[in-house]
Amino acid sequence: MTTPPILVIGATGKTGSRVASKLEAKGLSVRRGARRSGTPFDWEDQATWAPVLNGVSKAYVTYFPDLAFPGAVEKLEAFTKVALGSGLQHIVLLSGRGEHFASIGEEIVRNSGIPFTIVRAAWFAQNFSEGYLRDPILGGVLPMPGGNVGEPIIDIDDIADVVVAALTEEGHLGESYEVTGPRLMTFADMAEVLSATLGRHIQHVPITFEAFHANVAAAGDDFLADVFTSIARETLDGRNAHTSDGVERALGRKPHDFADFAQTAMAAGAWSTAA
């Protein structure tokens, strides 16, 4: 018998692309859920939901840009109802650590009637190498709000490994994995690591949340800036200033350190001006 494909929603995103590739490397069939996929998926078009769920038994679900986005939790709830009707047997949800709307999303999944696994993540290390902080770092600065609040920043590859384990191994149903890096770091600490890795000074520049909003708006648009600034205000108030053991519980190993992430990203050319 043919094994049903595993659905990865957000397959072009930071975590989804890694999850899809890691599943395929295991020889598993993956249905990549994205707007331009062979079987397209669009959170804004409910007509795409049932077709992409047809014939799959497991799904990894992310919401771009974040579950804090207006209307996201309502769409997630509607999606779980379609997924339950389609016979989905396991849903793995990516959630945000310390975020109000992410917590609501988690409860929606827990109460959906579908067997679930929650992966609740700290801030992504790859924001420095693939996201909105890459260009400032190329310019020699790391402008971030939050003062000296510590954040146990996580390598996305660890998140992907936890998701793949949840989708392919026994023992993960009903689990909530809060995944963080192995240590608390201030943004000044991260700038020091990046300086040592890149071989040139990266200066941490403490900024206000208003300035953060302006920076994100300049790189994208005001609406995204509103969402990301709200998340920054919420999660950089000290509530997340502790590590969690989610990676170790799920994988039986320690999470990667930020310094290891930086070395790997540097070797891959993440901060090459030709990239």
Side-chain angles (χ1 to χ4, degrees), residues 4-99:
I6 297 173
L7 173 62
V8 176
I9 289 178
T12 58
K14 287 188 181 72
T15 67
S17 61
R18 287 169 168 83
V19 168
S21 295
K22 287 174 183 286
L23 289 170
E24 288 170 343
K26 288 178 170 287
L28 298 170
S29 176
V30 174
R31 180 173 295 165
R32 292 176 178 251
R35 288 176 180 170
R36 294 178 176 83
S37 297
T39 306
F41 176 87
D42 187 343
W43 281 109
E44 302 301 320
D45 183 2
Q46 191 164 343
T48 66
W49 299 359
V52 85
L53 284 161
N54 184 43
V56 306
S57 60
K58 302 177 182 181
Y60 174 52
V61 176
T62 65
Y63 191 99
F64 179 83
D66 194 272
L67 285 169
F69 203 74
V73 292
E74 291 82 2
K75 291 186 181 73
L76 177 62
E77 184 169 25
F79 175 80
T80 60
K81 291 177 180 177
V82 176
L84 180 66
S86 77
L88 192 69
Q89 298 172 21
H90 187 190
I91 184 170
V92 180
L93 176 73
L94 179 67
S95 176
R97 190 171 184 249
E99 295 180 31

Side-chain angles (χ1 to χ4, degrees), residues 134-210:
R134 178 179 178 271
D135 285 346
I137 288 168
L138 287 175
V141 295
L142 174 54
M144 282 297 294
N148 290 320
V149 170
E151 168 68 23
I153 195 161
I154 187 165
D155 188 330
I156 287 179
D157 283 313
D158 284 335
I159 299 174
D161 285 345
V162 171
V163 172
V164 169
L167 289 167
T168 61
E169 300 172 1
E170 299 294 329
H172 300 285
L173 290 179
E175 292 286 350
S176 293
Y177 295 118
E178 185 164 290
V179 294
T180 72
R183 58 171 167 152
L184 281 178
M185 301 179 71
T186 65
F187 288 109
D189 294 333
M190 297 174 206
E192 287 185 9
V193 170
L194 292 169
S195 296
T197 302
L198 274 68
R200 56 187 177 85
H201 183 57
I202 307 298
Q203 180 183 1
H204 171 235
V205 180
I207 60 174
T208 64
F209 288 104
E210 290 76 17

Side-chain angles (χ1 to χ4, degrees), residues 68 70 213 216-217 221-233:
H213 183 283
V216 177
D221 60 52
D222 286 334
F223 198 53
L224 287 178
D226 289 345
V227 174
F228 288 140
T229 304
S230 175
I231 293 168
R233 286 184 183 277

